[in-house]
Amino acid sequence: EAGVAQSPRYKIIEKRQSVAFWCNPISGHATLYWYQQILGQGPKLLIQFQNNGVVDDSQLPKDRFSAERLKGVDSTLKIQPAKLEDSAVYLCASSPMVSSYNEQFFGPGTRLTVL
Amino acid sequence: DAKTTQPNSMESNEEEPVHLPCNHSTISGTDYIHWYRQLPSQGPEYVIHGLTSNVNNRMASLAIAEDRKSSTLILHRATLRDAAVYYCILRDLDQAGTALIFGKGTTLSVSS
């Protein structure tokens, strides 16, 4: 079974520039998550989708971050404009819709450096 | 979600057992105990979960205290590949579809 795919793996940008990350979840997984992991900390949820609808975006900085999952499959996370504090690893995860134990499967992440 | 407390770091030698503790004194009756680990430069991966009884799988064992206020993840024979950050996370059964809430976890170092 193919895992969660993310691209790019690494990205370096200047502050105030824009950047986009892509995620392709495991086939058939209805739930998709984007997490932000700052160095030395555990991942923190940014946004959760159920199919193509947003379930939780309470921790997404909506003035600069946006995300979409138009066809209920792959997803894009965008930052515009980037700030220095956005330097982090952005992790995508997916899980089956019906899973009482909610095992989540994570991609390798995209490491963003903002200069 | 209820809070968990883990040591910041632990060390082990290769091929020796490792016991990773987790305290969760405010755990509720419907909270499952989940463990994930994160290898260097990778996303977290599921290790094991349990409710009340001890659990075993191919990766590890989970020992849960009788009062459920603490648990221990047991790696029976550590290998260099087990060097990772281990996260203990409580998940309410009623919140099975929501995101995981990670703490800082325990960084396990394994020496040969």
Side-chain angles (χ1 to χ4, degrees):
Chain A
E1 176 181 80
V4 176
Q6 290 189 248
S7 68
R9 289 297 312 276
Y10 305 91
K11 190 73 177 180
I12 300 174
I13 61 172
E14 304 262 334
K15 61 182 178 183
R16 292 189 289 274
Q17 285 188 324
S18 302
V19 65
F21 313 126
W22 174 82
C23 172
N24 190 16
I26 292 173
S27 177
H29 281 195
T31 309
L32 185 146
Y33 310 81
W34 283 102
Y35 291 85
Q36 179 192 57
Q37 185 172 24
I38 293 172
L39 187 65
Q41 299 181 19
K44 184 188 78 171
L45 178 73
L46 289 174
I47 190 167
Q48 176 184 346
F49 292 94
Q50 184 75 20
N51 296 309
N52 60 350
V54 175
V55 173
D56 182 359
D57 64 356
S58 59
Q59 299 185 76
L60 187 74
K62 298 180 185 65
D63 58 334
R64 299 183 300 106
F65 286 64
S66 64
E68 59 183 15
R69 192 185 184 198
L70 292 176
K71 297 183 179 179
V73 181
D74 55 356
S75 176
T76 303
L77 176 69
K78 297 179 182 178
I79 307 175
Q80 181 180 8
K83 293 185 174 181
L84 296 178
E85 58 261 37
D86 297 332
S87 293
V89 175
Y90 291 84
L91 294 159
C92 180
S94 69
S95 66
M97 183 168 66
V98 180
S99 174
S100 61
Y101 305 120
N102 193 36
E103 179 180 348
Q104 295 185 17
F105 298 82
F106 286 80
T110 296
R111 181 176 298 276
L112 173 68
T113 301
V114 182
L115 303 175
Chain B
D1 291 304
K3 185 181 170 72
T4 63
T5 303
Q6 299 178 252
N8 289 333
S9 62
M10 291 186 65
E11 296 180 354
S12 174
N13 293 318
E14 203 173 10
E15 299 190 5
E16 290 184 354
V18 180
H19 291 231
L20 297 165
C22 181
N23 288 319
H24 29 76
S25 58
T26 60
I27 190 170
S28 74
T30 54
D31 279 334
Y32 278 79
I33 302 160
H34 289 245
W35 285 81
Y36 279 73
R37 72 178 185 180
Q38 188 170 20
L39 302 172
S41 300
Q42 295 188 28
E45 64 176 352
Y46 167 84
V47 177
I48 199 167
H49 75 276
L51 183 62
T52 57
S53 304
N54 294 345
V55 183
N56 300 298
N57 66 20
R58 63 175 179 81
M59 291 180 70
S61 295
L62 177 60
I64 302 173
E66 195 170 336
D67 63 4
R68 299 207 329 121
K69 292 185 178 182
S70 65
S71 60
T72 302
L73 179 70
I74 302 166
L75 306 179
H76 295 286
R77 290 184 64 192
T79 68
L80 296 178
R81 195 191 174 279
D82 291 321
V85 180
Y86 287 79
Y87 298 99
C88 171
I89 301 169
L90 300 184
R91 302 293 297 130
D92 191 309
L93 182 60
D94 290 337
Q95 297 178 319
T98 59
L100 298 167
I101 299 177
F102 292 83
K104 290 190 175 182
T106 297
T107 299
L108 175 66
S109 302
V110 180
S111 302
S112 58

